[in-house]
């Protein structure tokens, strides 16, 4: 097994997390094709030997990137939201977060472009289901009956994907975040509006 290299610019040894974060950044900047060993090594000021110290191959790195994306973009957000006192506040904060993310984050769209790859498809499916389940649970806490809660949650997650795309192609068409959040939350809670 190769020895892990000491990165001169950072003055410390690289970890698997360092590689996974650099790969996640590269994913957002250039899509899944940018998650490649040599460019990442250059970005980190490392050699390929450092990479192979932590990962068997590129597929293992892609799995680590998908796990990191899933954790940071879904579970960490849910954990933070669960600290808020009530479901209406959680939904409001969730949509504020996702609308702000849509203006900057590119990882979801990059992964969507590679959804034909089985590992990406499986991760995106897990994330979509987890997000829908979370929103539906909040709606049920607010008294929305179960089948309607699931349908509304599916629509809400679809809206997020639309925001994400529209923020890339025509950001000037999106109203202010507060206005968007008000529109989404009010329609989730009272679809007759």
């Amino acid at each position: 097994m190769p020895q892990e290299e000491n990165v001169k610019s950072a003055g410390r040894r690289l970890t698997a997390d360092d590689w996974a974060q650099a790969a996640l950044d590269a994913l957002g900047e250039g899509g899944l094709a940018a998650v490649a060993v040599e460019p990442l090594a250059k970005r980190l000021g490392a050699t390929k030997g450092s990479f192979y110290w932590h990962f068997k191959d590129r597929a293992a790195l892609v799995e680590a990137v998908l796990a990191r994306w899933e954790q940071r973009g879904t579970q960490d957000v849910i954990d933070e939201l669960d600290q808020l006192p009530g479901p209406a506040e959680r939904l409001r904060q969730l949509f504020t977060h996702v609308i702000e993310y849509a203006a900057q984050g590119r990882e979801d769209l990059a992964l969507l472009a590679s959804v034909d790859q089985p590992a990406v498809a499986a991760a995106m499916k897990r994330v979509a289901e987890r997000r829908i389940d979370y929103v539906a649970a909040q709606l049920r806490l607010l008294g929305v009956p179960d089948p309607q809660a699931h349908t509304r949650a599916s629509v809400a997650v679809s809206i997020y994907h639309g925001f994400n795309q529209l923020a890339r192609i025509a950001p000037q068409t999106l109203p202010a975040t507060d206005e968007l959040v008000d529109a989404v939350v009010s329609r989730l809670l009272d679809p007759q509006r």
Side-chain angles (χ1 to χ4, degrees):
M1 182 178 277
Q3 288 189 350
E4 182 181 7
E5 109 176 57
N6 203 9
V7 178
K8 294 174 186 154
S9 63
R12 64 178 181 83
R13 293 184 185 272
L14 288 175
T15 66
D17 281 345
D18 294 327
W19 282 95
Q21 185 58 53
L24 185 63
D25 294 342
L27 170 73
E29 295 164 7
L32 196 59
V35 179
V37 178
E38 287 188 37
L40 289 173
K42 184 176 180 180
R43 177 184 209 141
L44 290 167
T47 65
K48 291 191 300 182
S50 173
F51 169 81
Y52 288 108
W53 178 262
H54 298 290
F55 299 97
K56 176 183 173 189
D57 53 23
R58 180 181 180 269
L61 177 62
V62 169
E63 285 292 337
V65 167
L66 292 170
R68 187 178 203 88
W69 166 76
E70 189 171 348
Q71 180 67 40
R72 292 202 170 166
T74 303
Q75 193 56 51
D76 289 353
V77 172
I78 289 170
D79 291 345
E80 185 177 316
L81 292 170
D82 282 344
Q83 302 304 308
L84 298 174
E89 188 176 345
R90 289 181 204 124
L91 288 173
R92 174 167 277 293
Q93 185 60 39
L94 172 62
F95 284 99
T96 299
H97 173 81
V98 299
I99 289 167
E100 289 171 353
Y101 171 80
Q104 300 168 358
R106 301 187 186 283
E107 294 87 3
D108 288 36
L109 289 176
L111 290 172
L112 188 59
S114 298
V115 76
D116 59 330
Q117 297 190 24
V120 173
M124 292 198 80
K125 180 178 188 270
R126 280 191 311 273
V127 164
E129 289 172 350
R130 180 70 176 112
R131 291 173 177 177
I132 290 167
D133 289 347
Y134 185 78
V135 173
Q138 301 313 302
L139 292 171
R140 284 192 299 275
L141 289 171
L142 290 165
V144 177
D146 197 26
Q148 289 179 17
H150 187 270
T151 298
R152 291 183 199 179
S154 297
V155 170
V157 171
S158 298
I159 289 170
Y160 158 70
H161 287 290
F163 287 152
N164 205 341
Q165 292 179 16
L166 198 54
R168 293 294 160 297
I169 59 174
Q172 73 283 358
T173 65
L174 293 173
T177 299
D178 287 344
E179 188 178 343
L180 279 170
V181 170
D182 288 343
V184 171
V185 172
S186 66
R187 281 169 180 79
L188 279 175
L189 299 178
D190 181 8
Q192 302 305 316
R193 289 185 65 186

